[in-house]
Amino acid sequence: MAATLPSVICDDSIIEGDIIVGSANVVSPKCSITVAKPGSRIVIGDGNVFEENVKIVHSGDGEMKIGDNNIFQVGCVFEGLSIGSGSTIEAGANVLGTARIGSNCVLGAKCTTSTALPDNTVVFGTAHIRRVQTRSNRLQANLHARHLEYLREVLPKYHHMRSD
Amino acid sequence: MSLSPAPSSTAAWAEAARIPVPFVYYQCPCRNLRASQGDVLSFDSLTQPPQGADILTLFPLPRLYFCQECARMCCPLCVAEEIACYYCPNCLFEVPTASVKAERNRCGRNCFECPVCENTLSVVSMVEPTPLAGAGGAGPAAIPASPGGSSSNNTHYLTCGACRWDSLEVGLQFERPTGLASQLQPHEDARKDAIEFENLRQHFEKFLKSKDANGPTPASHVGAGGLLRGLSGGGLNLPPSLLATIPGLASFASMSRRSSTLRAIRAEHKLEAYSSSVDLLKADDADRESAVVLSTSVTSLQQRLHQPNDHAVHKTALYPQRIQLRTKRSKRCRKCDHIVVKPEHKAQSTRFSIKMMASNHVPSITLAHPFPDKLEWDVPVRVIVRFTNPLDVPIQVALATAQSTIGTATADRTSQDLQNEPEEGNCQITLLAPNFVVDAARDIWDYDDDAATPAATLPVAVHQKARNFCCVYVQVTPKRPGSRQPSSEPARFVVETIKFSMLVHVQPLGHEQTSSTEVPGPEETAGTAAKPDKKAAGPLSCWVVIGLGDLIP
């Protein structure tokens, strides 16, 4: 839908290492995406939202893959191997170690996972309970598109943008 | 001294009843009120320190109320609660008492809780997929509509923000986004268990009606039964469990009910057999077994308990529940029936029109820094206990221990007299400062910056005195209970909580002096209660149990 738009990356964010960023992503201020080892890289798809204080850390070898239309909410930490498309990592959640997140997953607020989440998995509550959601991804796609549109419009009014 | 020990598995029952250390608990005088004959507290009744079982009468200060009429503390056990209003915690709608029962104690508007995770559900609109959108190809089949633009072919469903459950999973959708409960009502009434319940009720009602018609009831029984029926069924809307808690009434109620039922049975001789018209819970066992094997589709115990109608076993049978109503309660002193807590009636308001908390009338007692490094058997340590005065008059505090209260209870005693044997507790305590004065509480900006009394001028055994508090030393010597645990048997690993009890007597040094130099007497409740100045309260005494920490041998 917004495939040709450039990504909106705030100047106040940290992006270090070999990172390939797709189109129409939004990187909020105070957000850091880092590759620790030389030789490894992060590949980011299209239309992802990285909110404030999000930390994406790739400390292993090889490639960390981030799909399309994911949303990383405030203060979450992602250290996993890959994430599919249309997933939500809610505020304060942690994806540790070698976890792989599927598509259309929800990792609830303050939840932690160090194991893989298959597609459509929801993790919620203090006990990090898992269940499979039946809601279609398409239902959320429209909402996500409008979210992206709004951020693209509003963020440049209040923050310096990275020009590259 | 370990402040947060790992609970030992021995003596599990005692452990369960243990209060986590360190603590300062007050004993409500209601125990002594019950024990003594009259209503007046006698000083004798306070000579016994709290024993082992009295743990249930001990409360931390914030949980205690204060009755000004009786000039005493009230614990949650000695106040009577009345329901002031029912309201829904989600929409804050105040439900009239008369309709609470009809709505089955649940919100009858738009509030539902998730059957999976008990969060509040929200209503979401969805536009039905139209042929046009389908023809467009790329367009999504269903678009969440904006709240304003609701067209006629919108459907609405419930969704949970936490676990992403939605009511479409159980095939539940609504035509209008408001009044969901009333839209669900026909569906709920059609449930098997609801029909069965209705049938049962009709069956027994028929029987009870015929009983009422047949039995020539004497007037006296009509009076009692009628009153009770009126109470439980009519405008007051009291649950039977509440009636059962009224001591005299419960036995009376059951008796009258039993006798009338007996009479009815005699008249009718038998109740015709009830045959269930609904095929309910019959074929379930095999079903359950197969469900349990495939354990992913079985509900958790918690989820089942939240489905009061049928305790659904299958996850697919989970059904959104209307949110339970909450109550605001006012509390009365059981002794004098005066209100100690009265919330404001509006559901939105969090204020109280009357709130008599003990923390505003009774000095708060805390353990102050520095704590002793370590607790060891037979090694005396000095503990600092801080008394903070909430009143706007200075107070005279007199302390005593279990041993020293026996015999003549004189206020002026030397510290040597207070040396006492190890009593019920497991330590020997010496009150180094049995009498001291705590200054009045003032607004925080009224205190001088250098108000703390210089250490040189402090009375003996007073550690610090400033503003409205006073810290005093108490010497504590943990004593191994020799008879209980001989040293030759060290096998049992028992964590001993070092605790001691202390009788605290508080005498406000008011504007008008009461009989000052006298023995701090019993609480002359009737005399002081009538005085117009509310703050100048009468003397007050109570037992306080202080737990220092655990001694791990």
Side-chain angles (χ1 to χ4, degrees):
Chain A
M1 67 206 99
T4 53
L5 293 168
S7 290
V8 171
I9 300 175
C10 291
D11 211 11
D12 202 7
S13 59
I14 302 165
I15 295 188
E16 283 173 4
D18 186 5
I19 295 166
I20 297 170
V21 182
S23 61
N25 294 297
V26 172
V27 181
S28 306
K30 300 289 179 200
C31 169
S32 89
I33 303 175
T34 50
V35 177
K37 274 191 186 173
S40 41
R41 59 150 68 150
I42 298 179
V43 179
I44 300 177
D46 302 335
N48 297 294
V49 177
F50 299 88
E51 291 185 354
E52 288 79 357
N53 284 318
V54 166
K55 284 186 175 58
I56 312 283
V57 183
H58 182 35
S59 50
D61 299 317
E63 202 173 83
M64 174 198 274
K65 264 196 174 162
I66 293 177
D68 301 335
N69 298 319
N70 297 298
I71 174 161
F72 296 85
Q73 293 186 359
V74 175
C76 72
V77 176
F78 185 87
E79 298 174 348
L81 288 181
S82 70
I83 182 166
S85 295
S87 290
T88 306
I89 309 293
E90 287 189 357
N94 281 321
V95 179
L96 304 173
T98 55
R100 288 179 187 275
I101 310 289
S103 292
N104 199 25
C105 290
V106 179
L107 185 63
K110 273 294 193 187
C111 286
T112 305
T113 182
S114 54
T115 55
L117 296 188
D119 290 358
N120 297 316
T121 307
V122 181
V123 182
F124 65 95
T126 48
H128 309 342
I129 304 164
R130 294 185 181 196
R131 69 185 291 273
V132 176
Q133 69 170 337
T134 56
R135 192 185 314 186
S136 76
N137 200 0
R138 286 187 299 179
L139 210 67
Q140 223 172 344
N142 186 269
L143 195 66
H144 186 73
R146 284 192 293 164
H147 188 182
L148 269 177
E149 200 180 309
Y150 177 80
L151 288 178
R152 298 178 61 81
E153 196 179 307
V154 171
L155 274 182
K157 290 185 186 166
Y158 300 97
H159 297 280
H160 296 292
M161 289 297 119
R162 205 166 278 206
S163 53
D164 57 83
Chain B
M1 180 162 130
S2 72
L3 293 182
S4 55
S8 75
S9 58
T10 55
W13 189 88
E15 285 292 307
R18 233 169 50 105
I19 306 167
V21 288
F23 61 83
V24 181
Y25 274 34
Y26 293 64
Q27 187 179 37
C28 175
C30 66
R31 166 186 170 271
N32 302 309
L33 281 177
R34 238 175 279 139
S36 62
Q37 293 290 334
D39 274 347
V40 182
L41 261 178
S42 70
F43 199 63
D44 286 342
S45 65
L46 281 174
T47 51
Q48 284 299 315
Q51 316 271 322
D54 293 333
I55 195 166
L56 297 175
T57 63
L58 297 175
F59 293 94
L61 188 61
R63 286 198 65 195
L64 291 165
Y65 311 106
F66 190 84
C67 175
Q68 276 193 329
E69 295 298 317
C70 312
R72 69 174 185 104
M73 295 189 287
C74 307
C75 63
L77 302 177
C78 64
V79 291
E81 291 190 353
E82 291 164 17
I83 291 169
C85 80
Y86 293 86
Y87 66 98
C88 169
N90 188 41
C91 61
L92 291 179
F93 182 85
E94 203 176 308
V95 183
T97 319
S99 58
V100 166
K101 201 175 175 186
E103 292 181 3
R104 295 180 193 168
N105 280 313
R106 287 170 185 269
C107 178
R109 275 146 300 279
N110 246 6
C111 309
F112 287 86
E113 78 181 17
C114 176
V116 176
C117 66
E118 295 157 42
N119 262 293
T120 308
L121 296 174
S122 47
V123 189
V124 173
S125 313
M126 180 182 68
V127 180
E128 281 285 327
T130 55
L132 257 177
I143 310 157
S146 59
S150 58
S151 65
S152 57
N153 61 348
N154 273 7
T155 55
H156 309 270
Y157 61 95
L158 294 164
T159 177
C160 172
C163 69
R164 304 305 201 268
W165 180 89
D166 59 41
S167 65
L168 297 175
E169 283 184 27
V170 292
L172 198 65
Q173 49 187 357
F174 304 92
E175 288 156 9
R176 285 170 285 116
T178 51
L180 300 186
S182 53
Q183 289 182 61
L184 263 186
Q185 197 59 46
H187 188 279
E188 250 174 45
D189 289 344
R191 292 173 68 95
K192 272 197 218 164
D193 40 65
I195 293 172
E196 176 77 354
F197 180 75
E198 199 54 39
N199 286 347
L200 272 170
R201 205 170 73 170
Q202 274 176 9
H203 177 75
F204 285 114
E205 253 172 17
K206 212 193 309 169
F207 168 67
L208 287 175
K209 259 187 206 141
S210 65
K211 177 207 80 182
D212 276 353
N214 288 353
T217 43
S220 62
H221 276 103
V222 168
L227 169 72
L228 287 171
R229 218 167 297 133
L231 277 175
S232 57
L236 262 177
N237 198 19
L238 297 171
S241 58
L242 191 63
L243 278 180
T245 55
I246 305 171
L249 213 52
S251 58
F252 186 53
S254 64
M255 208 171 69
S256 75
R257 203 172 298 147
R258 200 190 315 141
S259 66
S260 62
T261 321
L262 275 177
R263 233 188 2 268
I265 286 170
R266 228 173 287 130
E268 191 92 334
H269 286 301
K270 64 177 195 313
L271 173 63
E272 57 189 87
Y274 172 78
S275 58
S276 172
S277 58
V278 189
D279 195 21
L280 192 70
L281 302 173
K282 288 276 166 62
D284 264 5
D285 282 349
D287 204 24
R288 275 178 198 227
E289 263 175 45
S290 68
V292 170
V293 173
L294 305 164
S295 60
T296 50
S297 65
V298 177
T299 54
S300 71
L301 183 62
Q302 182 79 4
Q303 287 167 352
R304 228 171 284 179
L305 291 174
H306 275 84
Q307 304 276 317
N309 292 327
D310 55 352
H311 302 299
V313 177
H314 291 284
K315 275 188 177 166
T316 48
L318 286 175
Y319 210 73
Q321 299 290 318
R322 291 185 284 146
I323 287 181
Q324 267 190 322
L325 300 179
R326 308 292 198 265
T327 56
K328 284 188 168 188
R329 296 159 192 227
S330 57
K331 298 176 202 284
R332 290 174 185 276
C333 170
R334 276 194 204 273
K335 193 175 141 199
C336 66
D337 264 0
H338 276 83
I339 290 182
V340 290
V341 172
K342 188 181 183 190
E344 280 189 1
H345 269 256
K346 285 185 71 169
Q348 283 95 337
S349 166
T350 53
R351 282 185 301 208
F352 293 81
S353 41
I354 300 172
K355 190 164 91 173
M356 305 293 297
M357 301 306 288
S359 50
N360 297 331
H361 296 84
V362 181
S364 83
I365 302 171
T366 45
L367 292 170
H369 279 290
F371 295 135
D373 294 331
K374 192 176 177 186
L375 291 174
E376 275 181 281
W377 294 120
D378 301 319
V379 177
V381 288
R382 284 209 297 186
V383 178
I384 301 166
V385 183
R386 172 185 291 172
F387 291 75
T388 311
N389 180 12
L391 301 176
D392 58 3
V393 292
I395 51 169
Q396 167 87 42
V397 178
L399 304 178
T401 54
Q403 204 65 21
S404 57
T405 49
I406 295 169
T408 53
T410 47
D412 47 353
R413 68 182 80 238
T414 59
S415 58
Q416 274 82 7
D417 293 339
L418 293 163
Q419 283 279 17
N420 55 333
E421 314 295 319
E423 9 96 20
E424 288 303 314
N426 43 16
C427 52
Q428 188 176 20
I429 62 171
T430 309
L431 300 171
L432 301 172
N435 283 294
F436 51 92
V437 174
V438 188
D439 290 336
R442 277 176 291 172
D443 289 324
I444 192 76
W445 49 85
D446 286 345
Y447 294 116
D448 301 331
D449 287 341
D450 51 351
T453 318
T457 62
L458 281 175
V460 179
V462 173
H463 170 251
Q464 192 191 4
K465 194 171 180 209
R467 302 198 291 203
N468 62 333
F469 66 82
C470 182
C471 299
V472 299
Y473 287 114
V474 176
Q475 183 162 309
V476 180
T477 315
K479 287 280 180 199
R480 196 192 299 271
S483 54
R484 265 192 291 158
Q485 201 184 7
S487 54
S488 58
E489 190 201 315
R492 270 178 53 208
F493 178 77
V494 181
V495 177
E496 280 277 353
T497 303
I498 302 300
K499 62 183 179 191
F500 59 91
S501 44
M502 196 163 69
L503 181 62
V504 178
H505 180 86
V506 179
Q507 172 82 51
L509 302 174
H511 322 294
E512 75 277 82
Q513 278 296 327
T514 45
S515 51
S516 57
T517 53
E518 252 310 298
V519 179
E523 298 180 28
E524 283 103 14
T525 51
T528 49
K531 277 177 190 152
D533 188 0
K534 297 254 171 178
K535 279 283 183 181
L540 184 99
S541 33
C542 65
W543 280 98
V544 172
V545 178
I546 299 178
L548 287 181
D550 286 342
L551 199 155
I552 301 168

